[in-house]
Amino acid sequence: MADKSRGPRPPRPELPRDEAADIGVEARLAAGVLLNAALEGRGGLDAALSFREVADLPGPDRAFARAVAMAALRRLGEIDQILDRRLQKSPPLAVRTILRVALAQTLVLETPAFAAVSTAVKLAEREPKTRPYKNLVNAVLRGIEREGPGLTTAESNLPEWLAARWRAAYGEATLVGLALAAREEPATDLSVRPEVDAATVAEAVEGEVLPGGTVRTGRRGDVAGWPGFEDGTWWVQDAAAAVPVRLLAPKAGESIVDFCAAPGGKTLQIAAAGAAVVALDRSAARLKRLTGNLERTGLTAEVVATPAEDWDDPRGFDAVLLDAPCTATGTFRRNPEVLRATKPADVAKLADVQHRLLDAAAERVKPGGRLVYCVCSLEREEGETQIIAFLRRNPAFRTAPAVPAEVGAPEQALTPEGWLRILPSMWAEKGGLDGFFIARLDRIG
């Protein structure tokens, strides 16, 4: 089950076994805090980064704790399969968390087993509620180390209800591809300003240029220290997330509004093309990141913090981009917690929001203008179904068929209707990309 896709690892320093085993007990505790926060609900992992158990750690330990939590989230179904074979009855959550954290280290991150087992036992010893289980923790982990984890299935990492939906929508083979993509830690993608040579940026960050011009790098760590960051020549943006603006095709001098603009990667793309862009979002807090990136890149936009449906402004625009709020199930490579946080009722609830936003966006498009609608969701109710219903309500709009090669999308993403349905399992040989539905609608009247 070990993840072999991350490339060669630097040699680990040689330490006495006892000393090595003592390293990182607090980091493992923090990993458990992050894991459980992510399982409790959407946004939980990000909120938990400010918890004392996490925030008080030194930077490297904090990064390690997050890496362990993310590994556990990506392989949670497999980890629980392995544990359940060895547990006669389910232990308290605090004990299962210790075991999950330990197996994420040994089976995914390839931490030496003696260190992971030793720290797991130490964690069990710390609290009265877990202390009676320390021998169980030791026995289970030693048994897995000795006998191996056994066979597991990638599909077990997906919640059953989502797996059933994706099997029905995309077929069994694609479901397996999605499950395999959900296991992997993605690379970092960069969108480059149009006047900057992408190949030069790729060389500087030891990456490659993908179709469409996105630069992909296997570098890890704080991007603020990477070449070109301070110069504002690029910003972090998944390859799939860059496609909607390419399909919108902004031109210098055009007026464009970016509905639901935060965190702002698409606004930066539009501004870099020379268009006059209004960045609209209901969350002033989320717009702060957009504003910071505008300052760093030297790009300009009119930033407005208000709900799109309530925006009291009479202007019409040459183009409108609506990246609508959604379940975000297509982002599971970068945000594995969304698979656990999303509930069946969320799909219908958000579909209603998307319906209202589409109609509000359409009202802003000038005759002869264009509207691009996108969601980072794999659910058809949030994508194809929305556009079918919208076109019935709005006869002045027509689909403008996408050409994948022109916008940097996988060829197999093109639907019969001319829309784009990008799946995380596509471009597997390049490392995958986020899932998106994207449609361009031109106003003909």
Side-chain angles (χ1 to χ4, degrees), residues 75-92:
R75 305 291 186 102
L76 192 66
E78 292 178 271
I79 287 171
D80 281 349
Q81 276 186 335
I82 294 164
L83 289 175
D84 290 343
R85 290 176 190 145
R86 294 184 170 272
L87 294 167
Q88 293 183 351
K89 62 179 181 178
S90 186

Side-chain angles (χ1 to χ4, degrees), residues 254-267:
E254 286 189 319
S255 62
I256 299 178
V257 59
D258 182 3
F259 273 31
C260 310
K266 298 175 183 65
T267 296

Side-chain angles (χ1 to χ4, degrees), residues 194 245 248-258 266-279 294 299-302 317-320 370:
V245 173
L248 188 72
K251 301 176 182 63
E254 286 189 319
S255 62
I256 299 178
V257 59
D258 182 3
K266 298 175 183 65
T267 296
L268 295 175
Q269 284 181 276
I270 297 168
V277 56
V278 178
L294 287 170
L299 298 169
T300 59
E302 179 185 345
F317 294 86
D318 297 310
V320 176
R370 57 207 187 275

Side-chain angles (χ1 to χ4, degrees), residues 177-178 181 329-330 332-333 378 422-428 431-435:
L178 292 172
T329 51
F332 60 65
R333 295 160 59 253
L378 302 186
I422 300 174
L423 299 175
S425 52
M426 295 175 180
W427 280 358
L433 69 176
D434 282 354

Side-chain angles (χ1 to χ4, degrees), residues 94-421:
V95 177
R96 183 173 285 269
T97 299
I98 292 171
L99 292 167
R100 285 168 165 173
V101 165
L103 289 186
Q105 296 168 69
T106 58
L107 301 180
V108 183
L109 302 181
E110 299 180 13
T111 301
F114 73 85
V117 175
S118 177
T119 51
V121 173
K122 288 179 182 294
L123 282 173
E125 289 175 339
R126 288 169 65 117
E127 300 292 336
K129 61 183 178 182
T130 57
R131 196 170 296 138
Y133 295 89
K134 70 175 185 178
N135 290 336
L136 173 69
V137 167
N138 184 67
V140 168
L141 295 177
R142 294 293 184 194
I144 294 170
E145 177 190 2
R146 183 175 59 254
E147 300 168 17
L151 296 177
T152 58
T153 59
E155 296 93 310
S156 68
N157 298 315
L158 305 176
E160 289 184 6
W161 74 274
L162 274 176
R165 288 176 63 88
W166 296 347
R167 181 182 291 108
Y170 305 116
E172 185 66 33
T174 297
L175 173 66
V176 172
L178 292 172
L180 291 173
R183 279 176 161 183
E184 303 301 327
E185 181 182 5
T188 300
D189 292 346
L190 311 175
S191 285
V192 180
R193 294 181 62 139
E195 71 273 16
V196 175
D197 180 46
T200 301
V201 173
E203 182 179 3
V205 299
E206 304 163 279
E208 62 174 327
V209 182
L210 299 179
T214 291
V215 171
R216 173 162 291 178
T217 175
R219 277 197 176 201
R220 306 293 178 194
D222 186 1
V223 299
W226 295 5
F229 178 86
E230 291 294 340
D231 299 333
T233 56
W234 51 259
W235 53 92
V236 175
Q237 186 178 30
D238 187 85
V243 172
V245 173
R246 297 192 194 120
L247 187 59
L248 188 72
K251 301 176 182 63
E254 286 189 319
S255 62
I256 299 178
V257 59
D258 182 3
F259 273 31
C260 310
K266 298 175 183 65
T267 296
L268 295 175
Q269 284 181 276
I270 297 168
V277 56
V278 178
L280 187 73
D281 199 278
R282 68 184 304 122
S283 172
R286 296 185 73 229
L287 283 170
K288 288 181 181 179
R289 180 177 170 188
L290 187 157
T291 302
N293 273 321
L294 287 170
E295 293 173 354
R296 180 176 64 84
T297 58
L299 298 169
T300 59
E302 179 185 345
V303 180
V304 180
T306 191
E309 307 99 306
D310 301 336
W311 189 31
D312 185 16
D313 190 301
R315 285 178 288 177
F317 294 86
D318 297 310
V320 176
L321 173 68
L322 172 56
D323 183 2
C326 66
T327 55
T329 51
T331 70
F332 60 65
R333 295 160 59 253
R334 301 188 186 281
N335 306 296
E337 66 273 20
V338 303
L339 296 180
R340 306 290 168 176
T342 303
K343 306 303 178 189
D346 295 339
V347 178
K349 179 180 177 182
L350 285 161
D352 183 61
V353 173
Q354 293 149 9
H355 174 118
R356 297 198 310 270
L357 286 171
L358 259 170
D359 286 346
E363 293 177 359
R364 300 286 176 172
V365 181
K366 294 178 181 178
R370 57 207 187 275
L371 165 64
V372 166
Y373 171 79
C374 64
V375 285
C376 55
S377 167
L378 302 186
E379 315 319 308
R380 290 186 179 273
E381 297 93 325
E382 301 182 80
E384 292 88 343
T385 301
Q386 286 291 346
I387 297 305
I388 291 169
F390 173 82
L391 290 173
R392 288 173 180 164
R393 296 193 307 274
N394 294 272
F397 285 85
R398 294 286 186 274
T399 293
V403 180
E406 293 180 358
V407 297
E411 289 292 336
Q412 64 267 44
L414 186 65
T415 73
E417 299 85 357
W419 309 324
L420 293 171
R421 168 55 77 183

